[in-house]
Amino acid sequence: MSKKQFRSQASSSRAVSGAFGAPDGGLSSGGAFASPSSLGATSSSSPLSYIYEPLDLSNISTPNVVVAIKNLQKKDATTKSKALEELQTHITSLHTVQNEVEGSVLEAWIALYPRTSIDCARRVRQLAHAFQGSIFEACGKRVAKYMPKIIGPWLSGLYDNDRSVSRAAQQSLKQVFPSEEKLLNLWRLYQAAIIAYSLYTITKETVNTLSDERTTSPDDALAKHARVLATGILIVTHLIGQDVSSKNCLRLPLMRHILDVVMAADLEKSKTLLDGFLAEERVWKLSSHADAFVRRSVYRLLAAALKSRERDMDMRIISKNVLSSSLHTDQLGSAFDLAQTLALLTEKCPKVWTTYYLGLGKASAQRRICQFLKKGSQGSAAEYWTQVSNLLILIPTSIFKAESEDGRTRKPSDDTMSPRSPILDAVHDGICSKGEPRANLPAAWKTYLEIAGRMQIQINNEEGIRLHCSEYILPIIEEDIIPSNGWSRWNLPKVEPNSLLVKAFLQVWHNAEKLMQESWYRISTKLIENMKSSLPEQSKDYAKSQETISDQASRWYGLQAAVMKADSSKSIKSLFVQSSTSELPAAISCLKTRNGKPYGAAAIMVAALQLTPDVVNDATGLKGLLVKFLTDDASELFTSPSAPYLFTLIGLMENELNVSRVYKSGLESLQQVPESATRSKTLENILKSTYIALVDNDTLSEIVDGYLQTALAGDSNGWKIVLAAMHNPEAPADLVHGVLSTLIDATTNDKLLYTSIHGIELVIQHSEQLLQMLISSSDVSRLLSRLLHLAGSSDENVAQSAQSISAALEGHMSHGQSLDHASRSRREIISRGLQSPTPSSLPMGTLLRQARIQFEQADDIEKVTLAKEILPSPTQWQEAILPFLVSVPNPSLAITNPLSCAISLIESPPKSASQQALSRDAEGFSSAWRMLSYVTKLINATSILSYCKKGDKISICEKLALTLQLAGDQLAVSSSGGLWDASISDTESDVVDLVTEAQNLIAKWMREELDFVNAVQKRLLEMCNGCSITSYYSARTYSAMTAEIMELHGTTSDDGETARLQQFSKSLGAESFFTASALLTTVSDSGQMSRLANELSATLTGHDFQADVNGALRPLILLNCILYRQDDIGSAIPQRRLVLFIKHIVSQSQGYALAHPIYTEILRALAVLLPYAKDEYGDFWESIFGIMLKAFSLAQGSEDGDIPLINASLRLLSTFKSLATQGLNDDLQILWTDSATRLSGGLVGLMKKLQGESDESHQPRTITNDLLSRQLAKTPPDVVSDAKDFYEILASDSVAFQRSAYRILHDHIPKAQDQISLDKALSKDYIALIPEELLSLILTAPGDQVLLKADFQRSLPAPLQGYLLSWKLVYDHWRGSSYAVQADYAGMLKDGTYLKGLLDFMFDYLITGRSRPVDASKFDILHFTPDQEETPEKELQHFLIHLYALSLTCVPNLTKSWWRDSTTRQTMLAVESWTEKCISPLVIAAELSTVSTWGPSQADADQPLSVKVSISTREVTASIPVDEQTMSIAIRLPSSYPLSRATVESVHRVGVDERKWRSWIITTQGVINFSSEGNGGSLIEGLLAWRKNVTATLKGQTECAICYSVVSAERQLPNKRCGTCRNMFHGGCLYRWFKSSNSSSCPLCRNAFNYA
């Protein structure tokens, strides 16, 4: 930075103190308001005026600044704002690079700032002040010479009525003059300029000089002029020293301090100017200006001048303009300032109202002040009325002389003043004016009474005082107590009216006591008359009439109470006693006469006793009269509308009354009265009273119970009576318990559920005593149990209410003495919830939660006892599972447990032990299942088992394991009579989860507490003795537990068990059979097992099975237990013994009709032992094959008892096939080959027998059906006798059978199409048919119920799968068949309308039934194989999408017809969109791929066809060469193909005319999109049809003898033939020949050519 640049920076302190030059000379001939602008102007112009000479901007070097300054002179506010922002940015940038502001820029700104600072736009004014500070700060001392020109507008900005503008001006000043001293010097040095600016704006400027009427609205122009006037006045007011306004004055403490520092001596420098300013009448005329801002400025100027320059002011001018002119003009927004200023003016110079006031007549001072007062506060605050009061105190009383109507002062004939007071009337008018805010009324009426009091003092005779009080004070009291109809001028505000009334009362009482007494008695008499004349009950305004009396009484006695509180003189009290003595007897008489109907009379008595009890006590005989009335007459009025007031009276006089007598009498009379709202209310009041104990208990119970039933029925009014009794601490305990018990019982009734829950909430919600009583009673456990049950209700309102009540009860039961009650209640809830469940029983989760809370709150000592109490006892558990141990298990379960056909050896229980009806909870669970769930989850969640005794633990484990076996059987074969109700949906998944959890718990015990589990095993083994159902399940349980232990801890042998086995082998009695079978399925001693196997096989060899069935069956079952337990056990039996044993059991099977169980066990034994006899030859294998086929024929399939036999035979078949296919035995291999057809027939026949029974939820059938399906699938297709047999199987209820039949038919149908196509080709009359059996399967689509009942966790429902597989087989007919055959098939589908059902069902599931359609892109839509997807639901989606793709490719026209005929447009659009997005791309790609593969094979045909495929554009272009040219067409596929039709377009036409060419294109398109019988053709068919047309047209065509071409230049074939030589020529060629040769002869034969 250079020195020159550094020196150019000057501080503002130097600029103010010495660089300003002559500060007072700013307003001389060279001043800004008296001389031309220094910016080149040649004539005088106001700096504020919108008219000014153009600025000279030629010396400004920065173009952007020039543009900004020019924009600042435009009219648009937004343009000005942007210009100021740009200038601000320019100044900031100069400061950054430390450059100076150009002088030309500063001069231009000085010329523009004054008028910019008063712009109409707030934003412009704000930015102007901000820029003023910035540029002056940047210019330093150079601004001194311009200060007089801009000081006025700058300081005026401080008082702008917009806060943001005022703040901007304030900040700009502080920016340039940051210290107190500098600001003080600024105000001192430029006093004259400030005063001159203000005077100039007042005297010279007008609305038209400041604003251009062409661009400024009248309102904006007026507001701008008013703002300039007001701010100019306020800066002079600031100089004088008055803090003008908290709103518009400087808001900094610094500025307010300056006001105190500017002394009067400083103003002496500009005394002449200031005197001239204050003497200027135009200044004070602004006091009546239309703008409130201006008026307030003038009033504040006057106030400031009165304080410091009162002697220099001309009071005549002030009186003329401020008093005479301002008072009668509207003062909206300035009334308070005017009143405050007038009070100060009157205090300083009272003569302004008299001596200096020149107005007379209608312009007199009194009339002017009255005119002002009549308008009220005019929007001012309540303090306005305080200033009015002060003003009227100061105004000389001489101006209040009575005036005549013409305005002249009236001369009184005596000292009496007129009763009318214009001032009071004016104040009253102002209070009653419509614009008076309600918040101001209390202060206004207070002022009114103060003025009335002062006026009253000036009256010097009694009559005048009476008149004054009657006119101006008493109406206030009378109107408040008994108001007139409608609005009144004497209505007091609702806020604290008594204070005003008391003041009015005492004001009259102390000055005109007799008048007050007369008025008081008059009001009392009117009150009595109103009471007596109140409307009867039949009137529609009856209630309004009585409430009016009640309100009047409240105000009447309330006023008496307030007056006595303010003045307790005896005379006043005596007045009140006298009035009450007449009022209360009249009220009693009125009540008795009109039977209590006018309850306003009762309200009078209540108000008197409540508000003025001392007055009633002092009145002679009045209290006795009340007592007599209440004792003798009140009870008869208990049903009248006055009843509530009568009860209040009884309470108020309970010390003087026999209350019990009154209530008894009243209750007796109430019982004789019919039900009504009044009767209910009266009963409610009686039941709420403390005298309820005096009522007879039976009577009370009868009343309360009646209303309780009414309330439960839905009448909410009944609750009031019930709650009144329940919440009364004096109510009898029996009554309370009875109501609670009734409410709890009602919660079990669905019709009363809502009301009973609501009633319980009401009863316990607000009464701590009732809660404690309920908690300590026996009802609490019942209630908690019901509440916990209802908390899980599907009704949100019921559940929420139940949870709320339960939380309230448990909250009170969780502390203090209630803990014991809580513990007892929870134990009772748990016990009740486990035993004998009902639909209203608590859910298991709730029971478990209660048990956990109980257990966690107990200490270690309590937990020992608690464990025994909250866990089910062995007796309870045995009783729970007993109903399931009285029926023999399903015989089909023999194939799912190691004991196999031991089920058949169970002794059937006696008839008396038949299964009893089971009780279940709402979810269908029995007591046994609930105990299993409860115990399992509680043990897993807590350490409760560690607090149980060993015997209890053993019992728990035993029952748990036994119940799991029952659960396993029900999972295998579902039944509605089991542990749970299998008919209830969504149950099985929860059951499986719980079974898994219980199994894991037992496995955990096996890993960690083996000794304890061994004790359980020992007990189970003891329970195996006998042939009962319990013995059977005990054996199974023992076997399952032992197998699990051996898997966890290895194979160990127990010597005791071996010894028992030896004993059992010697005596195979029924009592020890289940024990032996249990041991044999678990013992791992191979040596002992081998010995036993030999013994048993030897025992059975030679045994007559028919003579002793059970004697043969028991050892055979035990032998099979060994065979299936020990691997390779057959090798331990000598070969000869083994063969003899096999031959014996085979011969027994052939010779006798054995029972199914023994036949089953024989087949099971053979399945294991045959591999050890593979070296046998002869008829050995034929006999075995024969008993296997015999088993197929013996089984009926419909009985569950057949399932083990079929299963065993199929397993034997697997063994037989395995041996036959190994090639180890020639006889066996030959037999297998020769018997394939017999076997196939047997398997098919067996499948037909089984197909009628569903295998869903039947595990044994499912296993057997799967096994049969696998065997049939392994059978060679060529041995299948008749495929039609399998259509029937497609409709079976077995999923496995359906898939087996489908696989066979899926292979068979396409192979048969070759012969059908050949037959169709050989005979035109032949019609290809889809089998009727197959069509019957697709006749009806599955309904919604199939999907609703479907369990997609296992597999597809059989009906649904059968339907879809049938459709897949229908479309298999298209594979390998000719187009003619396909047309026949399509015609059958069209005639039967089969496709509609499929497509409707398909899209209901895939699209319309979902919020978002299934995404088909995840599947291979052109191929589908059953049972390949992750879940059945995904398989269904894939299957349906695949069938839709087949529908589009096989029968596109039928599919499109369905789509076009869709019931709703929404469905049509949804299907189209989904097809276009998910299906069409794959179908199009497949179609184009087929064409692309086919195309190269057509290049070598007699008529070559060139095919080009564009996958991206979905287009096929076909071309045929003709001579040296090509004719071409293009087939374009739309994005939604094949729903939308393919289009064929011309590419290059050669050799044919337009008409024929167009015909070919239409034909080609028709072949692609349509064909006979509704079957759509393919792209290849269309191309072949087009080539056929081209070939037929070109066939036999010869070259033209002129051009030697087949096709001419015009793309035409030869079409002109010579009649002589018969040669063909192109028409165009002939024309050119004739023209060139000038002859019309044939080019070849030269004969005349007939061209036509």
Side-chain angles (χ1 to χ4, degrees), residues 70 90 882 1164 1227:
K70 287 183 178 180
H90 173 70
L882 184 60
R1164 291 183 73 235
D1227 289 352

Side-chain angles (χ1 to χ4, degrees), residues 1284-1305:
K1284 292 183 179 181
D1285 294 337
F1286 293 96
Y1287 289 125
E1288 181 183 353
I1289 298 175
L1290 276 175
S1292 70
D1293 292 328
S1294 171
V1295 173
F1297 287 174
Q1298 288 178 350
R1299 290 177 179 172
S1300 180
Y1302 165 75
R1303 282 193 289 268
I1304 293 172
L1305 293 171

Side-chain angles (χ1 to χ4, degrees), residues 564-801:
M564 286 192 294
K565 186 177 180 180
D567 190 338
S568 58
S569 63
K570 292 183 179 181
S571 58
I572 293 178
K573 190 173 184 180
S574 175
L575 173 66
F576 296 161
V577 168
Q578 285 294 108
S579 61
S580 297
T581 304
S582 60
E583 293 159 2
L584 297 186
I588 292 172
S589 175
C590 184
L591 278 177
K592 292 167 66 176
T593 304
R594 296 174 59 180
N595 298 323
K597 301 295 178 62
Y599 61 84
I604 290 177
M605 292 189 284
V606 171
L609 281 171
Q610 283 182 336
L611 301 175
T612 59
D614 294 339
V615 172
V616 176
N617 290 333
D618 289 353
T620 305
L622 194 55
K623 206 157 197 178
L625 184 63
L626 289 172
V627 170
K628 184 177 184 305
F629 165 71
L630 293 175
T631 303
D632 299 341
D633 305 313
S635 60
E636 297 179 358
L637 304 178
F638 275 3
T639 56
S640 70
S642 301
Y645 296 96
L646 295 178
F647 287 121
T648 306
L649 280 173
I650 293 171
L652 292 172
M653 299 192 67
E654 60 180 348
N655 295 328
E656 291 81 7
L657 276 175
N658 185 349
V659 180
S660 61
R661 175 185 171 188
V662 176
Y663 273 107
K664 283 184 177 180
S665 176
L667 197 58
E668 290 174 359
S669 63
L670 280 175
Q671 288 181 302
Q672 309 301 322
V673 177
E675 179 59 37
S676 64
T678 306
R679 179 179 185 269
S680 300
K681 186 64 178 178
T682 304
L683 279 173
E684 181 183 351
N685 291 327
I686 293 177
L687 294 176
K688 283 181 178 179
S689 71
T690 57
Y691 306 102
I692 189 175
L694 302 174
V695 182
D696 181 65
N697 283 353
D698 293 339
T699 304
L700 188 62
S701 298
E702 181 182 353
I703 293 172
V704 174
D705 185 62
Y707 277 98
L708 176 59
Q709 297 303 323
T710 303
L712 289 174
D715 186 358
S716 59
N717 293 324
W719 291 120
K720 297 179 181 179
I721 305 298
V722 177
L723 295 177
M726 296 291 287
H727 290 165
N728 193 330
E730 304 296 329
D734 293 342
L735 173 68
V736 175
H737 286 302
V739 171
L740 291 174
S741 180
T742 302
L743 288 173
I744 295 171
D745 292 339
T747 59
T748 60
N749 189 335
D750 291 340
K751 294 181 179 179
L752 305 179
L753 180 58
Y754 289 97
T755 53
S756 58
I757 287 290
H758 178 61
I760 294 172
E761 279 185 308
L762 294 175
V763 167
I764 70 172
Q765 200 169 31
H766 304 295
S767 177
E768 188 74 23
Q769 180 184 2
L770 277 179
L771 268 177
Q772 293 299 331
M773 184 182 298
L774 178 60
I775 289 170
S776 60
S777 70
S778 60
D779 292 328
V780 67
S781 62
R782 282 201 310 131
L783 177 58
L784 277 175
S785 179
R786 286 299 300 152
L787 291 175
L788 291 172
H789 176 76
L790 294 173
S793 172
S794 58
D795 190 316
E796 292 185 4
N797 294 329
V798 172
Q800 187 174 0
S801 298

